[in-house]
Amino acid sequence: MTSEPIPEKLNVLLVGTGGREHALAWRLTQSPHLGKLWVESSANAGLLELGTACPEEFSLKRKYYLERWLVQEKIGFIIIGPEGPLSEGMVDALASPDRAIFGPTRAAARLEWDKAYAKTIMRQTSIPTAEGRVCTTLTAALAYVTERDEPCVVKATGLCAGKGVAVCKNKDEAIAAVKRCMEQREFGAAGDSIVIEERLEGQEVSVLALVDGRTITLLDTVQDHKQVGEGDTGPNTGGMGAFCPTPLLTDQDLQSIARDVFVPAIDGLRRQGIEFRGVLFAGLMLTPAGPKVLEFNCRFGDPETQVLMARFRGDLLRTLWLTAQGRLDEVEFSFDPRTACCVVVCAHGYPGATTKGQLIKGLIPLDRATADSGVAMMFHGATKAAKKGETVTNGGRVVGVTSLGDDLEAAAKQATASAQSIEFQGAFHRRDIGFRVLRQRQISG
Ligand code: AMP
Ligand code: GLY
């Protein structure tokens, strides 16, 4: 390892096309070290305003072409947002002494792409998690849910964009969920084996940490609302809205979580000869018996990153570059003391199939939000640039609207009002992001 300073100008490729990447790109473009920012050719309309589109689809299937293009454009740093390319081994495939890559290798990212493996690591290293079992056949899974008396949760072990989890109230729901995975194969090969675990109760928190192989730096905590309906009802989604920071964990709690969750996870991988670099993200349930891990992700969360980036103060490019270099101890950043709240405006049908191509009205460019703190930041998710400067929908989570406020109530109120101003056919959003914490405050206040 060297202690060379970050290059004066660094050409960066940001992989990923959604709201997380738009928020990251926005902070990256504020770095004095950014040379040229490249984004994927299929990037959303917001990203395409901040970066230059790669000439062709960025896919590992064309590794030879990619390599040549990276060299030709003197790309010195690749930042990978989504789990898909990480699970495919993009970090392994593009590793080179000439460039840094932010994100874990395929082996390290297995903590996310194989929930059965994550459970094994958790068991081996005594990380607190829900009690459960991995089933690889329909018969075994049906027998297990039938013999259990307590409500359970059925999870496809592979990647399903946050939708492969069924939180079941009773046996009938559990049996139906098992059949959807293993008989109807709703999630394809991702559901060929499933984790069935006890249903935990409590508030959820997303704890994200930068990890450089050895050093672990926890970021401020976020709460994401995963269910599509108000009051946390209906099927799971990738995330309908989030806020940061949460009042749910004290600094002391976070130290315990670092010690009991993050350190053992990183050590458990290291014992298998695997080094983790990138973001490790623990989805936690705060149960009466203490925090328990629901899942690990190996990347920035979405919408978590939208609220984290709204509050991030520092040089994001330098932060991620030093992390990728194994030099996290040199990084300096802080968070805006205000609360950020994000409300995701979705297309009708989400988390199921949606209609694309609906004209979006009411979008406000990010530079206006930066100039005037009363204007919400609108990070594009599934949008597409269309003719005559118009922007149309291109999937389920269309735009994330983030506001900063002196407290959660103020931030949530403003984000919800601004989300209302985004218009397209079939648009909907939740109006109760943050309700659990706000309700708790009312009760205790
Ligand atoms: P996961 O992808 O494993 O984080 O699951 C997605 C969502 O399902 C979580 O954010 C929780 O809301 C819910 N969930 C997952 N596991 C459990 C569990 N054991 N008990 C209760 N809810 C859960
Ligand atoms: N919002 C949850 C995730 O990114 O997985």
Side-chain angles (χ1 to χ4, degrees):
M1 199 196 333
T2 67
S3 53
E4 275 174 39
I6 181 170
E8 213 169 301
K9 289 288 175 198
L10 196 53
N11 292 336
V12 176
L13 167 68
L14 176 61
V15 178
T17 60
R20 160 185 47 219
E21 287 77 24
H22 193 200
L24 291 172
W26 174 60
R27 282 295 183 207
L28 289 172
T29 54
Q30 292 164 13
S31 167
H33 294 287
L34 183 68
K36 186 164 180 175
L37 177 67
W38 289 91
V39 297
E40 289 195 62
S41 54
S42 58
N44 66 43
L47 272 164
L48 286 173
E49 274 171 23
L50 297 176
T52 306
C54 294
E56 295 191 48
E57 187 198 348
F58 204 83
S59 151
L60 270 190
K61 287 185 208 115
R62 311 180 58 233
K63 182 172 174 298
Y64 178 71
Y65 160 80
L66 275 186
E67 265 298 342
R68 243 187 20 201
W69 181 81
L70 290 168
V71 172
Q72 180 193 313
E73 295 300 337
K74 300 190 177 61
I75 305 284
F77 191 27
I78 305 176
I79 300 166
I80 303 179
E83 60 276 22
L86 295 171
S87 72
E88 285 165 13
M90 189 174 270
V91 173
D92 314 64
L94 300 180
S96 151
D98 300 328
R99 68 179 85 97
I101 309 189
F102 184 86
T105 58
R106 173 172 158 78
R110 189 170 178 193
L111 273 184
E112 173 164 5
W113 58 259
D114 182 354
K115 284 184 192 285
Y117 174 74
K119 274 282 178 208
T120 308
I121 293 273
M122 287 192 256
R123 211 168 291 138
Q124 284 170 352
T125 56
S126 303
I127 293 175
T129 184
E131 166 273 318
R133 183 181 292 185
V134 179
C135 294
T136 52
T137 66
L138 177 65
T139 322
L142 288 177
Y144 186 58
V145 291
T146 312
E147 86 198 17
R148 287 181 66 103
D149 285 324
E150 282 79 43
C152 69
V153 179
V154 176
K155 303 182 175 185
T157 53
L159 295 179
C160 302
K163 300 169 200 165
V165 174
V167 180
C168 307
K169 283 197 278 301
N170 51 44
K171 262 181 211 180
D172 287 346
E173 283 188 15
I175 290 169
V178 166
K179 286 187 174 169
R180 276 201 308 278
C181 266
M182 302 188 100
E183 203 171 59
Q184 291 138 30
R185 302 193 75 242
E186 204 170 283
F187 307 109
D192 282 349
S193 78
I194 57 179
V195 172
I196 300 169
E197 63 182 29
E198 68 178 310
R199 179 173 166 174
L200 301 173
E201 300 291 342
Q203 295 237 29
E204 281 187 60
V205 190
S206 301
V207 182
L208 283 76
L210 294 172
V211 182
D212 73 352
R214 296 163 304 143
T215 307
I216 298 169
T217 301
L218 297 197
L219 308 183
D220 276 4
T221 60
V222 185
Q223 185 167 68
D224 168 30
H225 290 271
K226 295 252 173 45
Q227 285 170 276
V228 72
E230 287 176 8
D232 287 344
T233 53
N236 269 327
T237 69
M240 297 295 293
F243 60 92
C244 171
T246 78
L248 297 166
L249 294 167
T250 61
D251 285 348
Q252 207 176 352
D253 294 332
L254 279 175
Q255 276 173 25
S256 308
I257 288 167
R259 187 192 60 214
D260 300 339
V261 174
F262 284 85
V263 172
I266 299 302
D267 281 353
L269 289 178
R270 192 181 298 122
R271 254 178 267 140
Q272 300 188 357
I274 301 166
E275 183 180 76
F276 191 103
R277 285 191 191 191
V279 171
L280 182 60
F281 160 174
L284 301 177
M285 186 75 92
L286 305 181
T287 76
K292 294 193 179 183
V293 176
L294 298 175
E295 66 165 345
F296 280 119
N297 295 317
C298 294
R299 51 172 173 82
F300 280 110
D302 196 5
E304 283 87 344
T305 306
Q306 301 186 38
V307 283
L308 282 165
M309 288 303 114
R311 297 184 55 235
F312 185 85
R313 284 179 173 174
D315 181 341
L316 182 68
L317 178 52
R318 183 170 180 273
T319 299
L320 301 186
W321 187 82
L322 284 170
T323 307
Q325 300 287 347
R327 292 160 55 193
L328 186 50
D329 51 347
E330 294 174 41
V331 161
E332 278 170 23
F333 62 83
S334 61
F335 286 102
D336 189 307
R338 289 173 295 174
T339 297
C341 180
C342 169
V343 174
V344 182
V345 183
C346 299
H348 176 73
Y350 181 74
T354 56
T355 313
K356 297 180 181 178
Q358 305 291 342
L359 179 67
I360 309 170
K361 290 189 192 150
L363 287 168
I364 297 173
L366 280 175
D367 48 3
R368 262 196 57 200
T370 320
D372 174 359
S373 61
V375 177
M377 286 156 267
M378 294 187 178
F379 296 119
H380 291 221
T383 70
K384 195 173 167 184
K387 57 180 180 349
K388 289 186 285 187
E390 288 177 343
T391 306
V392 298
T393 66
N394 197 32
R397 291 193 292 169
V398 178
V399 181
V401 178
T402 297
S403 294
L404 288 167
D406 288 337
D407 57 18
L408 173 59
E409 196 171 5
K413 206 167 163 185
Q414 203 202 317
T416 309
S418 301
Q420 196 67 39
S421 66
I422 301 272
E423 288 176 36
F424 56 88
Q425 180 93 40
F428 75 96
H429 62 85
R430 282 183 57 168
R431 287 160 299 173
D432 65 345
I433 301 304
F435 83 93
R436 287 180 184 273
V437 164
L438 290 172
R439 191 174 60 190
Q440 199 179 28
R441 281 215 181 128
Q442 271 166 4
I443 293 168
S444 57

